[in-house]
Amino acid sequence: MKDHHSLPDEDAALLLCGSITRREFVKRSLAAGVGIAVIADICAPYSTAFANGPELDLLERIKQEGGELFVHNWDDYIHPDTIPTFEREFGVKVRYSTFPGNEQLLAELGSGEQTYDVVFPSHHYVPVMIAQNLLAPVNRDHIPNLRKIIPKFLNTGFDPGNQYSVPYCWGMTALAYNTRLVGKDPNLGSWALMFESGSKSYSGKLGFTDEREEVIAAALIYLGYSANTQNISEIREAGKLLTGLKPHVRGFYTGDDEKTAFINEELAVGHSWNGDIVTAHWKNPTIRWNLPKEGGTGWFDTMVIPRNAPHKFTAEAFINYMHRPEVAADISNVTGYATSNGAAVDTYVFRKIAKNPAIYPTEKELQRIEFLGTVTDSVRPVYDEIWQRLTGS
Ligand code: SPD
């Protein structure tokens, strides 16, 4: 990794995070030859952020909020240093826990039994959470690093102006396989590896994620339909294909269980998230991830603050910290997922990671990716019926 500690940008981050005073920042910037206009631009969000109490700096405000933060994330989705560094720098005790999937997260937030300050739903669950009044609006003035995020992930139709969600990492769902077990299968490079060879050659060694819309999308894409089709007969056809395959499926896996099953060589072919398989490959090189010729789905996970979060200000400081380019890059470097932080990709993401198309697909590959939409009310009953047949839940 590059040494980033002397970059003016780092000083800006320290200022914006309240770790140095504005006076100290101006002094350092002038010494580094940074122009007054640039300094004023960087100071602007700081002034806005603290317009109501400039005498109260960020660390003090965090302390007043209790010096704690409840973070609830997916498995294997952070760098081991991310939380300890935040705790040290901001004087916060983080209670960190994980959830296995979007549906489980939605149910947890809905039940209100646990309180969390920052959780990480996928983009297509954010509108559901907004509609159910489960989220608190974020104060964007407290998250100046938003401007480091790649514009295409911001200001989306489901959350205009990013009132509730801040993009985190993004990824693709497609095919995984064990090279030793599939050998030279002629269906390599196609979803036919799952939907044609699956029942014949890999019975009992097929795995899927536990995500209803993702699983149905895979079958739709193989059949040549849109992953987001609203056509009920296309969705039923996908359902039929999946229920036919079900006797050969070893499991619908939550969290990082599918990755573990691949590493242990229990699975030959899987429907899988790219990053989990990239990191499985680092542990067991026989495991590969592939974007088939028919394509796959795309998604990005987000950071949101539940409505009943007890430490909202600290949560915003944390979200801003997560988008320091060096922090975002560390996460991408170890998780095998792409960061939505463009500044991180341009600077601190290792070149071998940024150039790995299983993590950062090329423009051409991106054309084969269809980003998932939220399941609409008109097709939800069919999705539920198929899912019930597949998993009994
Ligand atoms: N191990 C981290 C996995 C994160 C996966 N998010 C996937 C959402 C797909 N809809």
Side-chain angles (χ1 to χ4, degrees):
M1 184 189 268
K2 293 177 199 167
D3 174 14
H4 44 70
H5 295 288
S6 57
L7 293 175
D9 195 42
E10 173 69 6
D11 286 344
L14 289 175
L15 168 80
L16 293 165
C17 294
S19 296
I20 60 172
T21 62
R22 190 161 19 172
R23 180 177 302 200
E24 178 60 20
F25 173 73
V26 173
K27 204 171 99 195
R28 288 191 197 186
S29 303
L30 288 172
V34 178
I36 290 291
V38 174
I39 297 173
D41 177 47
I42 293 170
C43 285
Y46 178 85
S47 311
T48 319
F50 299 100
N52 295 328
E55 77 290 346
L56 207 58
D57 78 2
L58 183 144
L59 295 178
E60 186 54 34
R61 222 169 137 181
I62 286 177
K63 202 160 149 195
Q64 285 185 4
E65 225 182 31
E68 273 193 307
L69 189 71
F70 305 140
V71 177
H72 200 43
N73 193 358
W74 299 80
D75 289 326
D76 296 340
Y77 214 23
I78 201 157
H79 187 284
D81 292 341
T82 309
I83 297 294
T85 304
F86 177 79
E87 288 183 310
R88 259 197 318 276
E89 219 180 286
F90 290 78
V92 171
K93 177 71 206 151
V94 174
R95 316 266 171 213
Y96 189 84
S97 54
T98 58
F99 60 86
N102 282 307
E103 283 294 335
Q104 295 85 346
L105 176 63
L106 180 64
E108 270 193 274
L109 295 188
S111 81
E113 275 167 22
Q114 290 288 333
T115 44
Y116 299 112
D117 294 306
V118 183
V119 302
F120 295 68
S122 297
H123 75 279
H124 48 114
Y125 274 73
V126 172
V128 182
M129 292 179 178
I130 296 174
Q132 294 185 15
N133 201 21
L134 296 174
L135 306 183
V138 290
N139 184 337
R140 281 159 292 165
D141 291 337
H142 294 170
I143 310 176
N145 284 338
L146 266 172
R147 63 190 167 164
K148 306 221 157 95
I149 296 175
I150 300 168
K152 72 175 172 192
F153 293 112
L154 295 171
N155 200 19
T156 54
F158 66 81
D159 184 15
N162 291 88
Q163 290 192 68
Y164 295 94
S165 63
V166 174
Y168 180 54
C169 292
W170 65 279
M172 302 170 278
T173 310
L175 265 178
Y177 56 90
N178 178 315
T179 51
R180 197 176 55 76
L181 298 178
V182 302
K184 292 195 184 330
D185 190 309
N187 284 325
L188 268 177
S190 162
W191 278 110
L193 188 68
M194 174 69 87
F195 293 111
E196 290 173 28
S197 306
S199 56
K200 298 184 200 110
S201 314
Y202 314 116
S203 186
K205 288 182 181 289
L206 304 177
F208 280 86
T209 71
D210 183 43
E211 287 201 84
R212 190 177 50 152
E213 51 271 61
E214 287 276 27
V215 171
I216 295 170
L220 285 166
I221 292 172
Y222 166 70
L223 292 168
Y225 303 133
S226 159
N228 296 309
T229 181
Q230 299 297 298
N231 181 318
I232 302 281
S233 58
E234 291 176 359
I235 299 169
R236 285 201 190 288
E237 195 182 335
K240 202 166 157 211
L241 179 67
L242 287 162
T243 41
L245 193 64
K246 187 190 164 181
H248 309 281
V249 174
R250 187 177 186 98
F252 293 85
Y253 294 88
T254 58
D256 62 359
D257 290 352
E258 192 184 21
K259 168 174 164 174
T260 308
F262 261 112
I263 293 172
N264 296 339
E265 306 212 355
E266 288 161 16
L267 296 176
V269 180
H271 159 260
S272 316
W273 304 318
N274 57 330
D276 280 37
I277 298 304
V278 166
T279 50
H281 171 78
W282 294 341
K283 291 198 169 148
N284 179 344
T286 59
I287 314 304
R288 292 278 163 80
W289 185 86
N290 169 259
L291 178 62
K293 62 179 185 199
E294 300 89 349
T297 60
W299 41 265
F300 62 97
D301 294 320
T302 69
M303 293 182 275
V304 300
I305 303 176
R307 177 160 291 276
N308 60 355
H311 312 102
K312 187 166 180 292
F313 182 81
T314 311
E316 289 160 348
F318 177 76
I319 292 172
N320 192 53
Y321 162 84
M322 293 290 270
H323 272 296
R324 285 183 187 176
E326 61 276 29
V327 172
D330 282 351
I331 293 167
S332 181
N333 287 335
V334 299
T335 61
Y337 286 101
T339 173
S340 62
N341 186 307
V345 183
D346 294 343
T347 52
Y348 307 118
V349 171
F350 298 140
R351 287 307 92 191
K352 69 170 194 295
I353 298 285
K355 286 187 181 307
N356 183 341
I359 307 174
Y360 290 88
T362 61
E363 283 303 317
K364 198 166 166 218
E365 285 163 326
L366 263 180
Q367 289 167 13
R368 303 211 303 282
I369 292 295
E370 188 177 356
F371 272 73
L372 281 177
T374 302
V375 175
T376 61
D377 288 344
S378 60
V379 299
R380 184 170 298 114
V382 192
Y383 272 66
D384 288 347
E385 190 189 307
I386 297 171
W387 199 238
Q388 166 70 28
R389 267 188 276 138
L390 287 176
T391 65
S393 60

